[in-house]
Amino acid sequence: QGTMQLAFSPDGQSLVGWGYAGARVWDVASGKERPSPKAFQDGLSALAVSPDGKRLAACDRTGKIICWNAATGVELQRIQLPGIASGLSFAPDGRHLATSNSNGTLYILRLPS
């Protein structure tokens, strides 16, 4: 199954894991798993947590980025890149997402509010 990368949300209320098997989100206080999109088929190359901890964005190995609500698992946006993103980062405003791509390009995506 491969390794899983882990990160806490900025507010410390969620723990996010991602890797070959997709993404998983846990509530830190209860230890219970929160819903997350099951649309990722090919493992994840990158994941980012918004500064307020309310949104997550992940890229799979086909270049598909999905943004979703961290508490409910509801998908908010889907974006197809021409290449795989090896890094994702939310801007401090939480409305922009920067990607570092394997083909040497950089995209800054504006997300819905």
Side-chain angles (χ1 to χ4, degrees):
Q1 288 201 11
T3 60
M4 181 174 273
Q5 304 290 324
L6 296 171
F8 281 99
S9 62
D11 62 8
Q13 294 183 18
S14 300
L15 177 65
V16 182
W18 70 96
Y20 180 77
R24 297 176 71 182
V25 183
W26 296 271
D27 178 80
V28 172
S30 69
K32 293 184 179 181
E33 190 170 349
R34 292 183 178 169
S36 60
K38 304 298 181 210
F40 296 112
Q41 302 289 327
D42 298 313
L44 301 180
S45 60
L47 186 135
V49 183
S50 66
D52 63 6
K54 294 180 180 179
R55 290 190 288 173
L56 301 166
C59 185
D60 71 9
R61 298 187 190 287
T62 68
K64 174 177 57 185
I65 294 176
I66 295 178
C67 297
W68 72 95
N69 180 298
T72 65
V74 172
E75 186 177 314
L76 303 172
Q77 186 172 14
R78 185 180 293 227
I79 303 159
Q80 182 64 52
L81 297 176
I84 300 168
S86 55
L88 294 173
S89 181
F90 277 94
D93 68 5
R95 296 199 52 219
H96 295 86
L97 185 68
T99 70
S100 168
N101 302 298
S102 59
N103 63 6
T105 59
L106 171 76
Y107 295 103
I108 298 179
L109 308 168
R110 185 169 189 167
L111 304 173
S113 51

